[in-house]
Amino acid sequence: AGYLDRVSQFVVLGAGWDTRAYGLAKRPGVRVFEVDAAETQSRKRAALEQASIDAAHVTFVTVDFNKEGWLDALLREGFDRSQPAFILWEGVTYYLNADAIHATLQTVGQKLAPGSAIAFDYLSAEIVDGSYRPPRYNSALATLRFYGEPLTFGVSTGAPARDVLSAFLAPHGLQLTEYEPYGIESGENQVHGGLALAKND
């Protein structure tokens, strides 16, 4: 909410069924873009219409994150690269390949206007590769594999996790400004991932 007072563009990457475009982000002077796969967007737009929810202020942008550059897709739909933007990227990083992750972070850090920022969540790389497995994750990971959506990416949460994440972001031109870990870092316990906000200036 704080960043939406500073930018004129709000982009939801991998929007899925996120509804913030129709509440939090619906404000004068802010253009909203939802970026996602074609099938997901088609179902969501039909649901919005059926529920009589006004989506006239939202620009829907179709993209395959593992194969296409989302910035190019945004530019085709009127995104203004000279103006700062706030990028929301939740519930997505777990399922992408490393190249797609690095490309997205580098785009925000080096190709968007100064003052742009990205908020995203992530899981521990050690949970993803199985070298650290808190018991609570066993059934969830088995369910994801069953449905053909295994976890594919994480950022190491070796202590201190905040410093590791900050170092991961820096080469992309991003500065970690806010961080909220999942879990408590103590003794042999690692945090399980976290929420991050990073800016490019």
Side-chain angles (χ1 to χ4, degrees), residues 3 11 13 70 85-90 93 101 104-109 112 115-121 169 174-178 195-200:
Y3 263 89
V11 179
L13 291 181
W70 54 268
F86 181 77
I87 313 296
L88 180 65
W89 201 27
E90 275 194 303
T93 64
I101 299 290
T104 290
L105 295 174
Q106 186 172 23
T107 295
V108 178
L112 297 189
S116 296
I118 182 168
F120 65 96
D121 59 343
L169 293 170
L174 292 168
Q175 177 186 355
L176 182 63
T177 58
E178 294 185 39
L195 300 167
L197 175 63
K199 60 180 183 178
N200 69 355

Side-chain angles (χ1 to χ4, degrees), residues 60-74:
F60 293 92
V61 182
T62 301
V63 70
D64 180 333
F65 292 102
N66 277 324
K67 297 179 180 179
E68 306 172 52
W70 54 268
L71 179 56
D72 290 337
L74 278 170

